[in-house]
Amino acid sequence: MQVTPVYLEVVDFIAAGPTPDRIASFRPSDAARERVMELLQRQKAGSLQPQEEAELDDYLQLEHLMRLIKARARRYASA
């Protein structure tokens, strides 16, 4: 796994000790969302390089992890 800017963005966010409400409302930056959209478009066109495919896989894994974290945070926020 390579450390991409979006990973650092998420690490910095979590390291800052956000409240469960802030975690539940977290959204990646515009730049991160644009990069993922670009990679997805290139994947559909069949023009991704192996390194870009790995980057996209990392983004998708991070998205899955953040969904799990947000679901847990919502439980704590409502308690």
Side-chain angles (χ1 to χ4, degrees):
M1 173 192 320
Q2 61 186 19
V3 178
T4 59
V6 76
Y7 265 94
L8 295 177
E9 188 177 309
V10 171
V11 167
D12 288 343
F13 173 75
I14 292 172
T19 64
D21 287 328
R22 292 230 22 231
I23 292 170
S25 64
F26 174 80
R27 288 182 47 103
S29 67
D30 289 343
R33 290 193 306 269
E34 288 172 14
R35 178 63 177 158
V36 170
M37 292 303 298
E38 175 188 338
L39 292 171
L40 288 170
Q41 289 173 350
R42 293 187 65 200
Q43 181 186 47
K44 287 180 185 177
S47 61
L48 273 185
Q49 298 297 315
Q51 183 178 0
E52 292 171 322
E53 188 72 47
E55 181 183 355
L56 181 56
D57 288 344
D58 287 346
Y59 282 126
L60 297 176
Q61 289 176 8
L62 182 58
E63 178 187 15
H64 178 72
L65 179 62
M66 286 304 297
R67 285 177 188 240
L68 293 173
I69 292 169
K70 286 180 171 194
R72 293 285 176 121
R74 285 185 187 101
R75 277 198 244 159
Y76 290 111
S78 64

